Amino acid sequence: MAQPTPKREATVTLEGQVRECFARVVYSHKTHEKQGDICSATLRRLKIWQIVLSAVTTSGALAVLFTDDIWLKALTAFVSTITLFISGYMKGFDPGATAQKHRDTAADIWAIRESYLSLLTDLSSGAISDEVARERRDNLQNELAAIYKSAPGTTPKAYRLAQKGLQKLEDYTFNPGEIDKFLPPTLKRS
């Protein structure tokens, strides 16, 4: 059996750089997913607060019709002001739209992530030359730059959640048995 030829140093260096690019894209993708989740949770909380405060304001307004209690009037006016503040805040900052922008960005980055994975596979298997790999890498970097240019910003909290998901919870990793569960019998390895 013939020994596989060792990779040239230039190929090893190129592959190393593409691996780093791939890792950064994986983190970026996951961070945008997590930021979208954070924005969605913020929207849910604000909507619940709006409903609760509106109910309290309405109850207070109705109660004022039947009583002349100054504290009830003051509390109703205060809660009404908070409701107005939350509504005004949501007018200027739409967590739902921001969440969707993060989801869209994550979807765009996912395509780049998968392309980097394919590039690594082709490069590692020797299916493409270093020159072709460099060209594909450069194209991916340009596509990614265009995505990042219009991408909404993320927070350190989203990055920490992404880091936890990728490192501790092992998101995006599968053992061979798990992969086989998704495949038809003819493509299973075990």
Side-chain angles (χ1 to χ4, degrees):
M1 182 174 186
Q3 289 281 29
T5 54
K7 290 183 184 177
R8 292 183 0 199
E9 188 175 327
T11 303
V12 171
T13 302
L14 177 61
E15 187 176 328
Q17 188 220 7
V18 172
R19 287 171 52 87
E20 285 187 29
C21 291
F22 172 72
R24 284 192 298 269
V25 168
V26 167
Y27 263 89
S28 214
H29 172 255
K30 192 65 172 176
T31 302
H32 278 282
E33 282 186 340
K34 293 299 183 182
Q35 191 68 56
D37 293 346
I38 290 168
C39 291
S40 291
T42 299
L43 177 64
R44 279 191 301 277
R45 281 192 307 275
L46 288 172
K47 291 287 187 184
I48 288 170
W49 274 109
Q50 275 185 314
I51 292 167
V52 168
L53 292 172
S54 293
V56 170
T57 301
T58 302
S59 298
L62 290 174
V64 166
L65 294 175
F66 302 105
T67 183
D68 204 21
D69 187 356
I70 190 71
W71 289 107
L72 183 59
K73 291 177 183 179
L75 180 62
T76 301
F78 178 72
V79 172
S80 178
T81 302
I82 293 172
T83 305
L84 178 64
F85 174 76
I86 289 175
S87 296
Y89 174 76
M90 288 183 61
K91 174 95 171 104
F93 170 67
D94 183 357
T98 304
Q100 189 58 51
K101 287 178 188 173
H102 283 289
R103 286 188 197 101
D104 292 345
T105 299
D108 292 341
I109 293 172
W110 177 84
I112 301 293
R113 188 191 82 190
E114 293 302 305
S115 293
Y116 267 116
L117 184 58
S118 295
L119 174 57
L120 278 170
T121 302
D122 291 345
L123 189 58
S124 181
S125 68
I128 58 173
S129 68
D130 288 358
E131 187 57 39
V132 170
R134 279 188 204 90
E135 184 179 325
R136 284 175 55 187
R137 175 208 56 201
D138 293 346
N139 289 338
L140 288 171
Q141 287 173 339
N142 289 334
E143 289 177 45
L144 193 57
I147 292 168
Y148 286 157
K149 188 174 185 176
S150 63
T154 57
T155 61
K157 180 180 179 180
Y159 182 81
R160 284 191 305 276
L161 290 171
Q163 190 174 39
K164 179 182 177 187
L166 293 169
Q167 291 181 3
K168 292 187 173 81
L169 303 177
E170 297 184 0
D171 291 356
Y172 305 136
T173 58
F174 304 96
N175 66 48
E178 286 177 299
I179 295 170
D180 279 348
K181 288 178 185 177
F182 303 133
L183 297 171
T186 56
L187 296 176
K188 292 183 180 190
R189 289 189 177 169
S190 56

